[in-house]
Amino acid sequence: MILRQLAGWNWLRGLAIFITVWVVLVVIFYSKLNTGYGGEGEDTIRRLNQALDYLEKSKQVDQELRNLIDDYLIDTSYNRKQKFVDELGNKLQIHGAGAGRFRGVPSLEYEQLRRRVYSNTEELWNYLHSEVEKAAKVVRRSSTDVAAPLDNFLALAKEHKRSLLNDMELMRASDGYEFWRYKESKDLSDLVQKRLTFLQNPEDCSSARKLVCRLNKGCGYGCQLHHVVYCFIMAYATQRTLILKSKGWRYHKAGWEEVFQPLSDTCLDANGATHASWPGTRDTQVLTVPIIDSLNPRPPYLPLAIPADLAPRLMKLHGDPIVWWIGQFLKYLLKPTGETRQMLENGIEKLGFRKPIVGIHVRRTDKVGTEAAFHGIEEYMMAVDDYYDQLEMVESVDKRRVFVASDDPKVIEEAKTKYPHYEVIGDPDVAKVAAVSTRYTDSSLNGIILDIHLLSLSDYLVCTFSSQVCRVAYEIMQTMYPDASNRFKSLDDIYYYGGQNAHNREVVLPHNPKNHDEIHLRKGDLVGVAGNHWNGFSKGKNVRTSQVGLFPSFKVNDKIEVVDLPTYPNVK
């Protein structure tokens, strides 16, 4: 017994030493990012001292920016964008120029490495937490004396993680590139929206090349939205005006145009001299596409690919460029009619939706037991607690709020009962009509539109990415920030797009398997990723060796698929 306890303490001591060394390396590494990897010692010290001076100032600036952004996000009107960006630019220049922090444009390497340090910190915590929990289960069966120290160790380690993540955020806020991030995000979005507007409004509809998409795919609302986005990507890639056939839509018989604005001001009919099904020919005027699962041949520009002409800018700006790209199509598609906008505004007012707030989507009914496992409310709220613990390191939170969207009204009541210290916001009536038996009704449609809208407006998302509703909300969220790729916690899948082409990751660090469950990795290998186990390991297939198994998540980077697409030179 004594030997076992000594072994446990030695293990903890070794782990603590490892973490300490790792933290020091992270700080040194992060400082190197901003010095171009080649600065002299004195210059490095000077920069670090400047960074420390800026940390306090950045807290005030950060809070002002949060308030400004929150006001913008809660307002559902579309005429505040320019005013918002102007106010933001003024605020950043006022606070940045005087302190020498308004530095212009960062390098691609700096932005990518900054994000990698952040994600690897999360992955280290996933691994540490999982291993300590496994050890604790073994120890608790033989001795209760070590249980308390293990719990204390985990609690302090979590504080270390929060402190590191907070320091990285403060360093980001004070690195002088924040104005560039917001402006670049707006400029890129404006460019894509102008291209889509140009594509959708040909001068002569009768002679325009068109792509026909039928809305009624046999699936739920989130799945149908993704079907329309896929059609829109096909239209963008083939330079055809998208014609959406939506009459008799199972959610609203009158069609899309009574819920959202028409996709075009000049061209809504599918008339043409020649018609064909995919792939047709370039000379075919009207082309009809099937659902993505039946598409043959499959072009290379399907998700997860992004356009080559935008890729350098997107890869610098965003941690997951494909999610940003999908979000831009949703931004164009989901412009509400006046009636729908009024419904959204009434919903926000009725529920008392305000920030800070975490949105959780709890899918029950048809998903559980078929496409997804059951996850109790406790799992969701554990992630919500983590978010607020992190937030309270930098600002005072008047009330912890959570917005609950679900297809089971009992979930909302359960959250209110079990977490009375939270302000739980949710509409049981919306949850009732989201059930399978009443899903395809006008009231259900309004409910799911409101749920997705409020989830996307939340500061952070906790959900299961096996649900398309949550993935849609996450995609829309990308249109509201320069980079919202880290604003989520999925309890099951990583992000994916239904019917996507291969999702590969590139090995940046070699790995020798430690057991029969792991696979061998060589630097430069491609791994087709199947999922993240959120314990420090992911599962995938090594393309070179065809081995399938586990590998440490931090040893790979996403391989961004880049394809040549039209550049729309007429759009300035």
Side-chain angles (χ1 to χ4, degrees):
M1 178 70 70
I2 293 174
L3 289 175
R4 184 175 297 170
Q5 290 181 354
L6 285 174
W9 283 113
N10 287 333
W11 177 82
L12 286 174
R13 189 178 298 110
L15 193 58
I17 293 171
F18 166 73
I19 292 172
T20 302
V21 173
W22 180 83
V23 168
V24 172
L25 290 175
V26 165
V27 172
I28 295 173
F29 177 64
Y30 209 100
S31 69
K32 289 290 185 183
L33 294 183
N34 238 357
T35 61
Y37 304 99
E40 297 297 327
E42 291 182 2
D43 185 56
T44 301
I45 293 173
R46 178 180 60 80
R47 289 179 180 273
L48 286 173
N49 286 334
Q50 284 181 340
L52 290 172
D53 290 338
Y54 297 152
L55 288 182
E56 281 302 316
K57 296 177 183 178
S58 67
K59 291 180 182 179
Q60 177 187 349
V61 179
D62 184 63
Q63 187 58 51
E64 292 177 4
L65 294 177
R66 284 174 184 271
N67 294 338
L68 183 62
I69 294 167
D70 288 349
D71 290 343
Y72 171 70
L73 294 181
I74 291 298
D75 193 320
T76 57
S77 62
Y78 287 87
N79 58 3
R80 294 198 61 210
K81 180 192 294 182
Q82 189 59 53
K83 179 183 176 184
F84 162 73
V85 173
D86 290 343
E87 290 177 3
L88 181 65
N90 290 337
K91 194 171 292 294
L92 284 168
Q93 290 187 44
I94 289 169
H95 288 284
R101 290 164 54 230
F102 190 62
R103 296 172 56 185
V105 181
S107 68
L108 172 65
E109 292 76 14
Y110 170 68
E111 289 295 273
Q112 289 185 329
L113 285 168
R114 177 181 61 78
R115 289 191 290 260
R116 178 171 165 79
V117 172
Y118 191 97
S119 65
N120 281 356
T121 302
E122 293 278 18
E123 289 295 347
L124 177 68
W125 166 250
N126 290 340
Y127 174 69
L128 175 65
H129 182 262
S130 175
E131 292 300 305
V132 173
E133 284 292 332
K134 284 192 290 187
K137 288 180 182 178
V138 175
V139 170
R140 287 189 181 104
R141 285 198 293 266
S142 57
S143 170
T144 58
D145 296 338
V146 185
L150 280 175
D151 291 339
N152 291 337
F153 173 81
L154 267 184
L156 186 57
K158 181 176 278 192
E159 280 193 67
H160 274 295
K161 182 203 75 164
R162 287 199 297 266
S163 178
L164 279 170
L165 294 180
N166 180 57
D167 289 346
M168 291 176 205
E169 281 299 296
L170 290 174
M171 293 179 82
R172 174 196 57 75
S174 63
D175 63 10
Y177 301 127
E178 200 67 351
F179 178 63
W180 170 85
R181 294 181 184 112
Y182 278 94
K183 186 176 185 305
E184 180 72 349
S185 173
K186 178 186 179 298
D187 290 348
L188 270 174
S189 179
D190 285 351
L191 176 60
V192 174
Q193 295 304 308
K194 287 177 182 177
R195 287 181 178 182
L196 296 179
T197 300
F198 174 82
L199 177 69
Q200 288 302 109
N201 292 278
E203 292 183 2
D204 181 8
C205 184
S206 63
S207 62
R209 298 167 70 243
K210 304 172 185 178
L211 186 140
V212 176
C213 179
R214 303 188 186 281
L215 179 56
N216 262 339
K217 184 179 180 180
C219 56
Y221 178 76
C223 170
Q224 290 183 350
L225 281 186
H226 280 140
H227 171 61
V228 179
V229 169
Y230 138 73
C231 292
F232 214 167
I233 291 173
M234 296 286 289
Y236 182 96
T238 57
Q239 292 181 284
R240 293 174 176 271
T241 300
L242 178 63
I243 305 297
L244 186 61
K245 291 283 192 178
S246 66
K247 296 298 181 184
W249 184 22
R250 64 197 305 187
Y251 275 97
H252 188 75
K253 299 301 182 185
W256 179 273
E257 289 78 13
E258 281 200 357
V259 183
F260 299 105
Q261 294 179 29
L263 273 57
S264 174
D265 296 326
T266 66
C267 193
L268 296 172
D269 67 71
N271 298 329
T274 56
H275 295 253
S277 297
W278 175 265
T281 67
R282 179 169 179 78
D283 294 331
T284 303
Q285 186 181 354
V286 182
L287 195 60
T288 300
V289 292
I291 63 174
I292 194 171
D293 312 86
S294 304
L295 191 68
N296 186 38
R298 292 176 64 85
Y301 46 75
L302 294 177
L304 304 165
I306 60 172
D309 69 311
L310 302 180
R313 297 172 68 183
L314 256 182
M315 291 165 66
K316 184 187 296 188
L317 174 70
H318 203 274
D320 200 349
I322 182 58
V323 189
W324 185 95
W325 179 235
I326 299 298
Q328 290 303 307
F329 288 94
L330 288 169
K331 180 177 182 177
Y332 186 94
L333 289 167
L334 301 181
K335 297 172 184 173
T337 62
E339 187 175 344
T340 301
R341 180 180 290 115
Q342 188 63 54
M343 180 272 295
L344 294 175
E345 293 173 355
N346 291 344
I348 289 174
E349 184 177 355
K350 174 186 174 184
L351 292 172
F353 185 94
R354 60 194 182 98
K355 292 171 173 268
I357 193 165
V358 175
I360 70 173
H361 178 248
V362 184
R363 188 68 182 271
R364 293 282 190 255
T365 60
D366 58 324
K367 286 281 185 182
V368 175
T370 55
E371 298 179 40
F374 178 90
H375 295 276
I377 191 66
E378 294 80 7
E379 289 185 68
Y380 292 87
M381 293 304 294
M382 188 180 301
V384 175
D385 282 336
D386 285 345
Y387 172 80
Y388 277 111
D389 289 343
Q390 186 76 48
L391 181 62
E392 287 178 341
M393 293 195 72
V394 293
E395 67 179 72
S396 176
V397 176
D398 63 327
K399 185 71 175 178
R400 293 191 172 198
R401 298 180 190 87
V402 60
F403 167 67
V404 181
S406 180
D407 52 3
D408 182 355
K410 294 193 293 292
V411 170
I412 299 172
E413 293 307 315
E414 182 184 8
K416 289 181 177 179
T417 301
K418 291 184 176 179
Y419 299 91
H421 58 293
Y422 271 88
E423 182 180 335
V424 178
I425 296 170
D427 191 337
D429 293 333
V430 170
K432 287 176 185 175
V433 296
V436 177
S437 59
T438 54
R439 183 163 296 169
Y440 303 109
T441 61
D442 285 348
S443 56
S444 174
L445 177 60
N446 284 340
I448 192 66
I449 291 173
L450 178 62
D451 276 352
I452 289 176
H453 183 63
L454 296 184
L455 287 170
S456 70
L457 289 179
S458 299
D459 299 299
Y460 192 74
L461 271 175
V462 181
C463 61
T464 51
F465 269 171
S466 57
S467 168
Q468 302 216 49
V469 166
C470 188
R471 298 205 305 276
V472 168
Y474 176 61
E475 291 155 353
I476 297 172
M477 182 185 278
Q478 308 310 310
T479 69
M480 303 176 184
Y481 303 89
D483 183 1
S485 59
N486 282 327
R487 289 178 176 265
F488 81 96
K489 170 65 177 178
S490 172
L491 302 183
D492 55 12
D493 289 337
I494 58 175
Y495 175 83
Y496 66 96
Y497 193 92
Q500 68 188 28
N501 286 335
H503 183 179
N504 290 320
R505 288 182 175 167
E506 187 173 8
V507 177
V508 294
L509 293 171
H511 181 67
N512 293 315
K514 303 299 186 292
N515 55 60
H516 67 279
D517 293 325
E518 299 177 17
I519 60 175
H520 183 272
L521 301 179
R522 191 168 68 189
K523 187 174 180 179
D525 282 350
L526 288 183
V527 179
V529 64
N532 191 322
H533 289 190
W534 311 116
N535 62 355
F537 286 85
S538 294
K539 185 176 181 179
K541 178 180 180 179
N542 188 322
V543 175
R544 176 178 58 85
T545 65
S546 295
Q547 276 187 305
V548 177
L550 302 177
F551 59 90
S553 303
F554 76 95
K555 294 193 173 185
V556 299
N557 282 337
D558 255 335
K559 183 179 185 299
I560 308 301
E561 299 297 335
V562 176
V563 294
D564 288 322
L565 288 179
T567 58
Y568 292 88
N570 293 332
V571 178
K572 303 301 181 184

